[in-house]
Amino acid sequence: MTTAEAKPPTLQERVATRLGDLTATERRVAEYLSAHPQEAAFSSAEELGRATGTSDASIVRTAKALGYDGLPGLKRSLQGHLQTLLSPANRLSASLESVGDGPETVLRATLRDHIEHLMMAEQTIDTAAFRRAVELVDAAHETVVCGFAGLDGVSEYIATHLTRIGHRARTATETGYRLADRILLLGPEDVVIVMAHNRVNRETRTIIDHCAAAGVPVILLTDTLGEALRDEVEVVLSARMSRPGAFTSQAVVLILLEALTIAVAARDRDRALENTERMNQLREELNGYPLADETVLGHSRTTNTAKRPKSRGR
């Protein structure tokens, strides 16, 4: 049993796993609890009922539907994570309105928030799962990176860097019918990296189902869907991307993928360096001069242009 599997699922993971089985009222309560864990940890059933526009009985039923022994069990679980929920970065972010919205304040809050998330990721990511992900990418004939809703740029960035170290990689970030063309020929010798935060959209669902049918291993990067999809993918890398109910940041995702790429390169340093050198040679051919001379040549050309005499009019 891995470290991640030994830990009980978080409230957010429970909600993501069971959301489709809840009634409309239970779903409303569950989404509120997931987005407001601090309030849920210390509020009574009556208070939560008022906050969600339901009743105290609905709060208790929802807690049980999420796998707790009732509201006390849910609150004990949340209070056990109180230090995480009340992290310094979160407290600073929550106080932005009272201290103003100047650029300097926003900058400090954002930096501290991301530092906190990265420190948490170091604790929550299963190192054995990360090693398995590296092995899958290293051995794959081709790696396909799938990210939607703003993650297409991250997908392209990582696919490019995997290619530069000598691994075939591409993206599958299209939606609708065009996605079918991108995943049609996937086989067991390939690997797919899927990024999904708190909801499984149609494209993600289709990719996971198609990979299962074709025997393609899937590496899932997520914050709350690990418990819901663990049995459907090969590897789960879980890390909180942002504060509950807040804007989802892609910084943690990007850093995780960069770490994955560097770890793959480290497994065969000679291959990575050889391909990087070949890329540099191709760039030099395209430039028409060695890359090492680019700055000098650029300066020289600028200097020559400045000294060039003006042509006389006829």
Side-chain angles (χ1 to χ4, degrees), residues 47-60:
E47 291 170 335
L48 292 173
R50 286 198 300 268
T52 57
T54 60
S55 64
D56 53 353
S58 296
I59 302 299
V60 175

Side-chain angles (χ1 to χ4, degrees), residues 267-283:
R267 288 177 64 87
D268 192 341
R269 297 171 184 266
D270 291 339
R271 174 183 179 181
L273 292 173
E274 179 183 349
N275 280 277
T276 302
E277 179 61 29
R278 185 178 299 119
M279 180 188 67
N280 287 338
Q281 292 173 357
L282 290 171
R283 287 179 172 180

Side-chain angles (χ1 to χ4, degrees), residues 28-58:
R28 185 197 312 172
V29 172
E31 289 179 338
Y32 177 87
L33 297 177
S34 179
H36 303 84
Q38 295 180 37
E39 290 83 346
F42 296 103
S43 300
S44 66
E46 183 179 359
E47 291 170 335
L48 292 173
R50 286 198 300 268
T52 57
T54 60
S55 64
D56 53 353
S58 296

